Amino acid sequence: EDDILEDNDGDPPSSSSSSANILTRINGDKHVKLREKFLPFLLHMADISNPTKPHAVSVEWAHAVYDEFFQQGDREAAEDLPISPLCDRTTTNLPEAQVGFMNYVVKPAFLLLARCIPNMETVVIGQLEENFMYWMREKEKDNQLTGT
């Protein structure tokens, strides 16, 4: 069976290729199982896409998400439950958490998606890298303040 991510010559499809659009390529009965895996993957990508958004939006949402995490951790602490990872406002460092999330979850997933969708790497990955550098600078500032 041929690899849906490759053109007939064995190379990943180029953006100029008429067969480059993965959604067009998986539109037949032959690829039902692939669609069943790929479409939930796309939904997951939307869920973790905040670090790929324009900088101001990404930073605002990162703070909103961690505010929600910290509220959960506060509730867990009030009920004498173990505090979930990243939900303890006294130990979680937002820049460090964002760097880890972006480096180990978001970037690998979007690089995989870039194999499927033309121009993903230049448009989305570029914004991800810009936001990653912001959080690296914030992490360095925190390290300088705390001496770590």
Side-chain angles (χ1 to χ4, degrees):
E1 185 174 326
D2 56 351
D3 185 343
I4 195 70
L5 299 179
E6 296 178 351
D7 279 335
N8 294 334
D9 61 5
D11 293 328
S14 66
S15 59
S16 62
S17 168
S18 63
S19 61
N21 185 324
I22 189 69
L23 297 176
T24 301
R25 297 181 82 180
I26 66 171
N27 195 26
D29 290 340
K30 176 180 174 185
H31 300 295
V32 170
K33 287 183 182 179
L34 179 61
R35 278 197 311 277
E36 288 173 355
K37 300 285 186 192
F38 187 67
L39 297 179
F41 174 69
L42 286 179
L43 183 60
H44 173 67
M45 298 305 290
D47 189 42
I48 66 169
S49 68
N50 176 56
T52 68
K53 305 279 193 240
H55 178 73
V57 172
S58 180
V59 170
E60 182 178 345
W61 274 99
H63 285 282
V65 166
Y66 278 89
D67 286 345
E68 186 177 318
F69 285 179
F70 294 153
Q71 288 176 19
Q72 176 181 328
D74 295 345
R75 280 189 182 145
E76 290 168 343
E79 295 179 23
D80 291 325
L81 295 170
I83 299 175
S84 299
L86 301 175
C87 294
D88 189 338
R89 68 176 69 245
T90 64
T91 60
T92 300
N93 176 287
L94 176 58
E96 187 175 313
Q98 279 298 101
V99 165
F101 175 59
M102 294 168 83
N103 206 32
Y104 297 107
V105 177
V106 179
K107 186 174 182 178
F110 273 91
L111 287 173
L112 179 61
L113 187 58
R115 291 186 60 203
C116 304
I117 299 178
N119 300 321
M120 176 68 68
E121 192 159 355
T122 55
V123 177
V124 175
I125 303 297
Q127 184 63 56
L128 175 63
E129 291 295 334
E130 180 182 321
N131 290 332
F132 180 80
M133 294 310 298
Y134 166 80
W135 288 111
M136 285 295 291
R137 289 189 301 273
E138 291 299 301
K139 181 180 171 187
E140 183 59 34
K141 286 180 198 175
D142 280 359
N143 289 346
Q144 289 175 354
L145 289 173
T146 61
T148 56

